[in-house]
Amino acid sequence: MNAAISIRPSRDLRSNYSQISALTRQNPVAITVNGKEDTVVMSHETFVNQQNYIAEMEAKLSVYAHLAQAADDVKLGRVQELDAACDDILNELDGLEL
């Protein structure tokens, strides 16, 4: 997708909808009201791709936050031996009612 944005007056929505719709397949279109940008219109495909990208970035950010917390735990000595950690996990699982 091209980073450029087309600018069209709001009156074009009624009179030239198909042209604006076609433009949204190339890049978003800013709709102006009284000469000021008011609304941005984009194609459905662009919207879905953008939402998927945002969700992917949020998932990555969550992983990075966990990794940063883990790195801090190691730096601050908040660690335990693997055997002890496994024992703790198994004990917690034994206490769960399934």
Side-chain angles (χ1 to χ4, degrees):
M1 179 175 85
N2 186 347
I5 189 165
S6 298
I7 300 173
R8 302 296 294 260
S10 60
R11 69 178 176 273
D12 280 3
L13 282 174
R14 283 190 213 114
S15 58
N16 296 316
Y17 174 79
S18 56
Q19 183 183 32
I20 291 175
S21 179
L23 280 173
T24 66
R25 286 162 185 58
Q26 298 168 8
N27 51 275
V29 177
I31 304 299
T32 62
V33 175
N34 297 325
K36 296 182 182 178
E37 291 180 2
D38 180 69
T39 305
V40 175
V41 181
M42 64 178 73
S43 70
H44 184 263
E45 180 183 5
T46 300
F47 175 76
V48 169
N49 289 340
Q50 190 177 72
Q51 294 301 306
N52 290 338
Y53 179 77
I54 290 169
E56 182 182 319
M57 291 298 109
E58 287 174 340
K60 286 181 180 181
L61 183 59
S62 177
V63 169
Y64 295 150
H66 286 298
L67 290 173
Q69 180 64 51
D72 286 345
D73 288 343
V74 171
K75 285 179 189 174
L76 297 172
R78 296 185 300 230
V79 295
Q80 68 184 106
E81 296 293 324
L82 178 60
D83 289 339
C86 288
D87 288 342
D88 288 347
I89 292 168
L90 290 173
N91 288 334
E92 285 183 34
L93 290 174
D94 284 340
L96 295 177
E97 291 184 32
L98 300 176

